[in-house]
Each structure stands twice: as C-alpha cells, then as structure tokens.
Amino acid sequence: ACTEARRAGLDELISRLGEVESPDIQRVADALRRIPDPSTCVAPESAPTPEELGAFDIALARAQSMLALGQYTDAAALLRSMSLPDGTRRFAHRLAIHAFALARALKLSGDYVGAAAEFEKAYLLDLLSEHSDIASLAAGHLAALHTSELSDPNAGRRWVRNAQASVLRAQNTDPARRGQVEVGLAAAWYALGEFDHALVSLDAADANLAADDPYRVNLGTILAGVRYQQGNAPAALEAQRSAFEATQATFGARHPRLIAPLNNLGILYEELGQYTQADASFKAALALSEEALGPTHVQTAMTRISNASMGLGRLDPHESIEMFEQGLRDLEAVFGASHPQLNTGLQGLATAQL
C-alpha cells in the first residue's frame, strides 16, 4: 500500500508538471509532500548509520573545499563517489546540498548538460525537504544555464519564473540567503536580456548581502555586464574592476574564478580603446585558464576564442586563425560540431580568413 501511494504521488507530480507551461512551485511541492515518508517504506536497517552520515558530511566538506580551490574535476569525481540510501526524506536537504555542489563542479568543468540535471535534482530534493534555500539558488542557476550555455531561452524563462517564486519564499529567510537568491535571479534576467529586471534584483541583493559575502563577486560581474549592454562602458569598467578586486581578495591571485573577470576587463578596455591594457588582460586570462584548468578545458577554449575575436584587425591574422582553430577544436570535442557554443568562433574564424 505504501509503494502504491508513493507511485500515485509521483504520477500526480509528473502529470502536473506536464500540464502547466509555467511550473507552479506550490503545487509541485504539495504533490511531493504527499508522497509517504520513505521511513515507512524502507526497512530501518537500510538507513545510514551515524558513522556513515559522518563520513558523508566529511567527504562533502572536502569536495566543497576542492571547489573553493578551483579543483573542479577532482571535486566532481569525489561527489559522484558519494551516496546515501535512496528515497530518505529526512536526509533530502543533505542530498540537495550534495547535488548542488556536484552541479557547480560539473558546470565549472564545462559539463553543462550534467550540471543542469544535478541542479534540477537539487531543486526537487530541497522542495521535498521543505527547506527551499538550495532550491532557490538552483532555480537561478538553471535559468542562466539554459539561457546562455545550453541556448534554450524558453527553458530559461520557465526557470526564471521558478526563481521568482523562490524569491517570494525567501522573503522570511535570513538576509544573506535572500541576497544570494536575488543574485541568481539577476543572472537569469541578464542572460535573457531583461536588464531593467536584472538591476532590480541586483539592488535587492546589494541591500541584503554582507560586505564580505562571496556572492558580491557575482553581483559586480552581472552589474558590469548590464552597464556594458546599456552602452555605458566606463561604468561597466568600474564595476568590473571592483568585481575583479573582490574576486582576488576572496579567492586569491591564481584562482580560476579570476579568468572571467580578467577576460571581461579585456573586453571593456578594448571597447574604450585602451589596447595595451586589453591585451594584457586577455593574455593574463588565457595564461591563468591554461594553468588552472588545462589547455583544452572548455573555459580555456572560450577564453582563447574571445582573445582572438577581440584582437581581430590588431593581432597577426595567422595568430588569430590559429587561436580560433584551436579553440573550436576543443569546443567541438565537448559539444559536437553543430552546437551554438561554436558560433562565435566560427564567425570570427571566417572573418580572420578574409
């Protein structure tokens, strides 16, 4: 009877997800909560022992330390090796934290499809746990991920709506968590080109985050992107410099989190005609990416293509072509020959060959 009730609850969840264009978070959560507690379905001896839980928590802390140090591949491997008995509701929040950490490791390693699957897992597990803090962050990540890296703006918009609902649920949580959720929503709005909405979320994040909160790094980067898209390159450069300094202060001088801010600084210097600073920033970003992530990593390939694109007309044409071709080979090895991620490099290569 317990198994049948669980199956009926899951059937209801799947049915409701399929019948609405904009997933109704409360209905999804209600359907999940009506699934009987797994402790009534699973024999007590299958539950993890205190020793097993302790070992899981220690391994999870190790993996999160690896993420902080930029050891994304090692963190993903460790997280994939960890497990607890399936279907244990009382450990759902712990499992949501695990799935969220794995999603971050996969995203930073360039496995965007795998990252999306783990973010969704974290989202649903956290709704089941009735905490909803990890679910809020996962929704923001999914909105940005689908819109940019996975090139699926329709899915991005669906997750933006989920992220908005998460913000409403975060109203009564601590300010730091509310601010982090708003940063995720701002990233989603930015990816969709909704810059006014992004600024509203950034203002809310700024009001809630502590001065030393690591999420301020993300806030500054998104703000710089918004100002740039609005045509205000000087304001964008100021915001990006602040984001770079905050990233360096938080993570250290050789952390891979500095690659994107360095590359963004290069783009802004280029826009403002400060070519010496632009070239120095681009070269620093590429050198750090090769050192920290490896010469064929997705982010290294994208940084190489960005360098070549911004240097068109100034760099030696043969150098530009070589950078485009190497970057495209590395991206194609990950995404395949027809993925939208290759479009910028292909267009740049065609221009360089003229």
Side-chain angles (χ1 to χ4, degrees), residues 142-211:
L142 282 161
L145 192 63
H146 279 289
T147 302
S148 52
E149 287 87 353
L150 296 177
S151 303
D152 186 355
N154 290 330
R157 288 188 180 278
R158 288 197 296 273
W159 281 105
V160 161
R161 289 191 281 269
N162 286 353
Q164 286 178 297
S166 298
V167 168
L168 294 176
R169 286 200 305 278
Q171 294 285 354
N172 297 321
T173 63
D174 66 281
R177 181 63 69 189
R178 169 79 190 279
Q180 291 166 7
V181 171
E182 290 283 6
V183 169
L185 183 56
W189 283 126
Y190 175 76
L192 289 167
E194 301 281 357
F195 304 127
D196 289 340
H197 289 308
L199 286 173
V200 171
S201 290
L202 289 172
D203 286 342
D206 185 48
N208 283 278
L209 292 175

Side-chain angles (χ1 to χ4, degrees), residues 19 57 59 86-87 138 295 306 331:
E19 72 188 20
D57 290 341
D86 291 336
S306 178
L331 287 182

Side-chain angles (χ1 to χ4, degrees), residues 220-258:
T221 298
I222 298 167
L223 178 60
V226 170
R227 295 305 185 204
Y228 178 72
Q229 294 296 333
Q230 291 177 329
N232 191 342
L237 180 60
E238 181 181 352
Q240 190 60 70
R241 278 176 176 158
S242 297
F244 173 78
E245 291 167 1
T247 307
Q248 196 170 45
T250 301
F251 297 102
R254 305 304 298 167
H255 195 280
R257 288 286 293 267
L258 287 167

Side-chain angles (χ1 to χ4, degrees), residues 24-83:
D24 185 324
I25 303 303
Q26 190 58 53
R27 291 173 65 197
V28 171
D30 289 345
L32 281 167
R33 292 185 185 114
R34 282 197 292 274
I35 299 173
D37 192 293
S39 63
T40 65
C41 304
V42 180
E45 59 268 23
S46 68
T49 65
E51 292 76 15
E52 289 172 328
L53 283 176
F56 184 90
D57 290 341
I58 290 171
L60 183 56
R62 278 189 61 207
Q64 290 174 326
S65 295
M66 289 176 179
L67 281 173
L69 292 170
Q71 300 168 1
Y72 306 135
T73 303
D74 291 342
L78 175 57
L79 289 160
R80 278 181 163 145
S81 73
M82 299 163 54
S83 64

